[in-house]
Amino acid sequence: MIFPTIRDEVFERGKVPMTKSAIRDLSIVRLNLSEGDVVYDIGSGTGSIALQIAGVSDKIKVYAIEKKAEAVDLIKKNLEKMGFDSIAVIEGEAPEVLSAIEAPTKAFIGGSGGNLEEILSCLYRRSPGVHVVMNAISLETVSEIVALSKKINLSGLEIEQIAYSRAKEVGTYHMMMAENPVYIISFGFGEGELDEA
């Protein structure tokens, strides 16, 4: 399967944070996509992850889920600009809006709005075999997922930290400009019920 990259400059961004291309690429590879997948992009922001997934195959259905009106407008602008028709934009907060759409096979979490445990519980109940990839930039989020891994039956938990720099011209020199390190976290759910203890 070919994984096309969409350059960051192509996206309408406004003031909404966006997952940078190098992190998008690796995160999407970690999703292990297949034709026929149903993918949730939770906390979709500009829609960069959703749009790049849609570019992999028109046989992958993508739901871009976003609660902020400004971001929803940006997703729609980017969707119109790039012309993908396998993306549905869902305005609202996860996990509440998830019950109205078909169950996922894969889920990407770019932002949880403080509802990470509830989102994971909902994903498990709707689709126990779902594979989840999430991005985090704070140690608190990483700490939360490690704590949740002891409470919720996660399987195959992998946590990677990516430090990414890009050259920028400064006068006659090229300086490496560092982005914030990003954690890419991937996992599935183990067999049995969620541990609610």
Side-chain angles (χ1 to χ4, degrees):
M1 192 171 277
I2 297 171
F3 294 87
T5 293
I6 304 174
R7 294 183 62 82
D8 291 341
E9 308 84 69
V10 173
F11 293 96
E12 300 285 339
R13 293 181 59 184
K15 295 181 181 178
V16 175
M18 183 179 76
T19 304
K20 302 296 189 298
S21 63
I23 304 303
R24 272 198 313 275
D25 292 347
L26 189 52
S27 298
I28 290 169
V29 167
R30 294 293 180 264
L31 278 171
N32 194 25
L33 297 168
S34 300
E35 290 192 350
D37 272 336
V38 174
V39 184
Y40 289 178
D41 176 14
I42 298 171
S44 192
T46 61
S48 65
I49 289 280
L51 284 153
Q52 195 158 316
I53 290 171
V56 172
S57 171
D58 59 6
K59 294 180 172 62
I60 296 174
K61 177 68 178 179
V62 186
Y63 290 93
I65 299 152
E66 177 55 57
K67 67 179 182 177
K68 295 178 181 172
E70 178 188 1
V72 169
D73 288 343
L74 279 174
I75 295 167
K76 290 176 179 176
K77 283 179 185 173
N78 285 320
L79 184 55
E80 184 177 349
K81 187 175 187 179
M82 295 180 212
F84 293 115
D85 58 6
S86 57
I87 299 176
V89 181
I90 307 296
E91 184 170 3
E93 189 163 9
E96 286 80 8
V97 298
L98 303 183
S99 60
I101 53 181
E102 62 189 304
T105 56
K106 308 283 167 62
F108 175 80
I109 303 173
S112 66
N115 299 326
L116 184 57
E117 183 174 357
E118 294 83 357
I119 290 169
L120 295 183
S121 295
C122 178
L123 290 173
Y124 175 82
R125 289 191 175 87
R126 301 225 49 227
S127 183
V130 69
H131 178 69
V132 180
V133 173
M134 57 182 289
N135 287 170
I137 58 171
S138 74
L139 292 173
E140 286 77 11
T141 302
V142 176
S143 177
E144 183 180 9
I145 198 67
V146 170
L148 285 173
S149 74
K150 296 172 174 48
K151 182 178 182 181
I152 297 175
N153 191 13
L154 303 184
S155 70
L157 177 64
E158 292 185 2
I159 302 173
E160 304 168 273
Q161 185 196 60
I162 308 300
Y164 173 70
S165 299
R166 189 172 184 177
K168 179 180 178 182
E169 282 190 55
V170 180
T172 58
Y173 295 93
H174 288 79
M175 307 287 289
M176 296 307 293
M177 307 301 287
E179 300 284 347
N180 286 330
V182 176
Y183 296 91
I184 299 176
I185 304 167
S186 55
F187 53 89
F189 294 99
E191 294 182 6
E193 293 297 314
L194 289 178
D195 180 2
E196 298 293 351

